[in-house]
Amino acid sequence: MRSPWFSKLSLIFSPRPPRNWLLLCLIGVIVVVALLGSSSSSAFDSASPDARTDIYTNYRRIKEQAASDYLKLRSISSEATSSREFSFCGKDTENYVPCYNVSGNLLVGFKDGEEFDRHCEVSGGQLHCLVRPPKEYKIPLKWPAGKDVIWSGNVKITKDQFLSSGSMTKRLMLLEENQISFHSEDGLIYDGVKDYSHQIAEMIGLGSDTEFHQAGVRTVLDIGCGFGSFGAHLLSLNLMVVCIAAYEVTGSQVQLALERGLPAIIGSFISRQLPYPSLSFSMVHCAQCGIFWEKKDGMLLVEVDRVLKPGGYFVLTSPAAEIHGNSLSKKRDSMLKPIEEFTKKLCWSLLAQQDDTFIWQKTMDANCYISGKQRDRPLCKEGQDAQSYYQTLVPCISGTTSKRWIPIQNRSSGFFLSAAELEVHGVQPNDFYEDFENWKSVVRNYWSLLTPLIFSDHPKRPGDEDPLPPYNMIRNVMDMNARYGGLNAAFLEGKQSVWVMNVVPLGAHNTLPLILDQGFAGVLHNWCDPFPTYPRTYDMLHANGLLSHLISEGCSMMNLFLEMDRILRPEGWVIVSDKLEPIEKARSLATQIRWEARLWVVSCLDSPVFNIWMPVVILSMST
């Protein structure tokens, strides 16, 4: 039986592999055995005869396991020495997104907008090379300054595309040399972003947009978010706003939002369901998002209804236009008539209309869908929405029989769910809170290891202010196997200014509804396939137990590491915890993709008899 201290190892990754990592690892093993040997004698003095027998037996088992694992390390390291580094991809792949091939999709017959959808089955597989950054790439500015100023060379949008993008965009953005500046937090109002947010709040009966939480609005799905300024403003109000926009060959909204450090993911409403369960968001927002909601017999609105929580809001702002005389009422009629009947069948009520903005509220009464005109929209069968992962759009109504059918106004305001709310998800409160306490301790350990490394890579220069702890060096984290979202909760508890994209692997226990109900960002994903994002969009990747899950699913670990390299920004970090065999295989792959490894021996468990120690390998990605 494997000893506890070798059952789980942690790695923190980054490129330029030093060749002495194996020697350091073996030293770590020797230190473990030495420490256990030195601590056991004092432990025997205070233990009872029976306890001494148990301790001696456990100690011998640990020593035997250490010898066995040492031989495995030698075997795996001999294989690693013969591994070859991956080469770099061509310059034309600097912004490569797998599974999105518009020309290839057109050749196989996709049309009417579906050519912009995600089609991994026709993409021809993943590139087995390293996606390099553009020549002009620069490390993003520290958070939160990086939310308002980005390097233009880091994104696909060019100066010509910027200048031709319309007057609204040009007023919102100021292009200065090699920077794009967004002035969302300087007290000024560009294009009325703050006024617009305040207007929405008043339309739903609030005095100010600072009261969104009081109305139950905590998570917002922003469709076609432009350059993310509305989301950035709501994020400053402690709302979780996720931008979702279709793949774009040039001038990507999602890439620009992520470069600003804002939550975003590639996706569209054209033909498939979004990778979210029903009842996921308290508000869905569309401002000039380019979607014709009346198309496909209203099925696009049905998809909005599916992801919207009871009592949630659908905010639709039409394209700006000059209004003269009675043209306002005509425009209102032209906007409402195509979708008015559909919204009635969805049990939505038109809450308010002002200028070009319309707000509908979803019913809080699930029985509404089985009465009157609503009978034209059948209810989905039980379990039909259990694993919504790019399934075909359906005309039926979801979520009405779910235990999660709770109006947003009746939900907990913080990320801590009550025992009753946890029971809805089938989660024991003790298990949930113990998981959270564990992650609080783990996050403290992560920062204690990362702080000196980040500061050694970014030393203080003359005239600089004293650097803060490394929170402002990391804007976003992807938790690749999020479980309950404990890592996210620990970041919030520690008041660390990062946001987390919580990913629930397909095939694992689907805890995404629990994560979303805590007010976090999250998504379902099959890690056998690439993730729907642009290159260099995450500062840190975290994976606990993901490698073992990947092996059980029969997926390629090599493809996973190539994908991690693609979506991680230069000088980013990766932390992986798992069993010995997948960890050692991962460390071998890390050398092939030019990541750097560093080794510590740290305490991982406090025992009443003796301390158990384990080696922690830290790897980081260089430019």
PDB file of all heavy atoms in Angstrom, residues 287-288 317-321 331 335 356:
ATOM      1  N   ALA A 287     -25.827  43.566 -25.503  1.00  0.00           N
ATOM      2  CA  ALA A 287     -25.833  44.935 -26.015  1.00  0.00           C
ATOM      3  C   ALA A 287     -25.201  44.926 -27.400  1.00  0.00           C
ATOM      4  O   ALA A 287     -23.999  44.706 -27.520  1.00  0.00           O
ATOM      5  CB  ALA A 287     -25.076  45.866 -25.081  1.00  0.00           C
ATOM      6  N   GLN A 288     -26.022  45.087 -28.421  1.00  0.00           N
ATOM      7  CA  GLN A 288     -25.542  45.069 -29.800  1.00  0.00           C
ATOM      8  C   GLN A 288     -24.714  43.812 -30.069  1.00  0.00           C
ATOM      9  O   GLN A 288     -23.650  43.864 -30.679  1.00  0.00           O
ATOM     10  CB  GLN A 288     -24.700  46.323 -30.077  1.00  0.00           C
ATOM     11  CG  GLN A 288     -25.411  47.619 -29.738  1.00  0.00           C
ATOM     12  CD  GLN A 288     -24.546  48.832 -30.004  1.00  0.00           C
ATOM     13  OE1 GLN A 288     -23.887  48.923 -31.029  1.00  0.00           O
ATOM     14  NE2 GLN A 288     -24.555  49.784 -29.073  1.00  0.00           N
ATOM     15  N   THR A 317     -30.124  45.398 -25.362  1.00  0.00           N
ATOM     16  CA  THR A 317     -29.975  46.767 -25.861  1.00  0.00           C
ATOM     17  C   THR A 317     -29.773  46.707 -27.362  1.00  0.00           C
ATOM     18  O   THR A 317     -28.836  46.065 -27.849  1.00  0.00           O
ATOM     19  CB  THR A 317     -28.779  47.476 -25.191  1.00  0.00           C
ATOM     20  OG1 THR A 317     -29.035  47.574 -23.790  1.00  0.00           O
ATOM     21  CG2 THR A 317     -28.599  48.868 -25.755  1.00  0.00           C
ATOM     22  N   SER A 318     -30.665  47.383 -28.090  1.00  0.00           N
ATOM     23  CA  SER A 318     -30.632  47.344 -29.550  1.00  0.00           C
ATOM     24  C   SER A 318     -29.545  48.271 -30.073  1.00  0.00           C
ATOM     25  O   SER A 318     -29.036  49.118 -29.343  1.00  0.00           O
ATOM     26  CB  SER A 318     -31.990  47.772 -30.102  1.00  0.00           C
ATOM     27  OG  SER A 318     -32.237  49.128 -29.765  1.00  0.00           O
ATOM     28  N   PRO A 319     -29.185  48.138 -31.357  1.00  0.00           N
ATOM     29  CA  PRO A 319     -28.187  49.044 -31.936  1.00  0.00           C
ATOM     30  C   PRO A 319     -28.614  50.497 -31.797  1.00  0.00           C
ATOM     31  O   PRO A 319     -29.795  50.826 -31.937  1.00  0.00           O
ATOM     32  CB  PRO A 319     -28.142  48.624 -33.407  1.00  0.00           C
ATOM     33  CG  PRO A 319     -28.608  47.206 -33.410  1.00  0.00           C
ATOM     34  CD  PRO A 319     -29.627  47.111 -32.307  1.00  0.00           C
ATOM     35  N   ALA A 320     -27.648  51.328 -31.510  1.00  0.00           N
ATOM     36  CA  ALA A 320     -27.941  52.753 -31.335  1.00  0.00           C
ATOM     37  C   ALA A 320     -28.442  53.347 -32.642  1.00  0.00           C
ATOM     38  O   ALA A 320     -27.994  52.991 -33.721  1.00  0.00           O
ATOM     39  CB  ALA A 320     -26.680  53.483 -30.871  1.00  0.00           C
ATOM     40  N   ALA A 321     -29.406  54.256 -32.543  1.00  0.00           N
ATOM     41  CA  ALA A 321     -29.956  54.895 -33.746  1.00  0.00           C
ATOM     42  C   ALA A 321     -30.526  56.247 -33.362  1.00  0.00           C
ATOM     43  O   ALA A 321     -30.915  56.493 -32.213  1.00  0.00           O
ATOM     44  CB  ALA A 321     -31.039  54.022 -34.384  1.00  0.00           C
ATOM     45  N   LYS A 331     -39.849  51.887 -33.495  1.00  0.00           N
ATOM     46  CA  LYS A 331     -38.694  51.026 -33.248  1.00  0.00           C
ATOM     47  C   LYS A 331     -39.014  50.032 -32.141  1.00  0.00           C
ATOM     48  O   LYS A 331     -38.631  48.867 -32.195  1.00  0.00           O
ATOM     49  CB  LYS A 331     -37.484  51.879 -32.861  1.00  0.00           C
ATOM     50  CG  LYS A 331     -36.239  51.042 -32.643  1.00  0.00           C
ATOM     51  CD  LYS A 331     -35.043  51.917 -32.305  1.00  0.00           C
ATOM     52  CE  LYS A 331     -33.830  51.051 -32.099  1.00  0.00           C
ATOM     53  NZ  LYS A 331     -32.634  51.812 -31.734  1.00  0.00           N
ATOM     54  N   MET A 335     -38.891  46.001 -32.502  1.00  0.00           N
ATOM     55  CA  MET A 335     -38.042  45.188 -31.631  1.00  0.00           C
ATOM     56  C   MET A 335     -38.852  44.119 -30.914  1.00  0.00           C
ATOM     57  O   MET A 335     -38.409  42.979 -30.752  1.00  0.00           O
ATOM     58  CB  MET A 335     -37.355  46.085 -30.588  1.00  0.00           C
ATOM     59  CG  MET A 335     -36.146  46.832 -31.099  1.00  0.00           C
ATOM     60  SD  MET A 335     -34.746  45.718 -31.360  1.00  0.00           S
ATOM     61  CE  MET A 335     -34.514  45.113 -29.695  1.00  0.00           C
ATOM     62  N   ASP A 356     -33.238  52.447 -25.921  1.00  0.00           N
ATOM     63  CA  ASP A 356     -32.971  51.242 -26.710  1.00  0.00           C
ATOM     64  C   ASP A 356     -32.834  49.987 -25.861  1.00  0.00           C
ATOM     65  O   ASP A 356     -32.436  48.935 -26.371  1.00  0.00           O
ATOM     66  CB  ASP A 356     -31.671  51.426 -27.508  1.00  0.00           C
ATOM     67  CG  ASP A 356     -31.772  52.587 -28.475  1.00  0.00           C
ATOM     68  OD1 ASP A 356     -32.837  52.734 -29.099  1.00  0.00           O
ATOM     69  OD2 ASP A 356     -30.789  53.350 -28.597  1.00  0.00           O
TER      70      ASP A 356
END
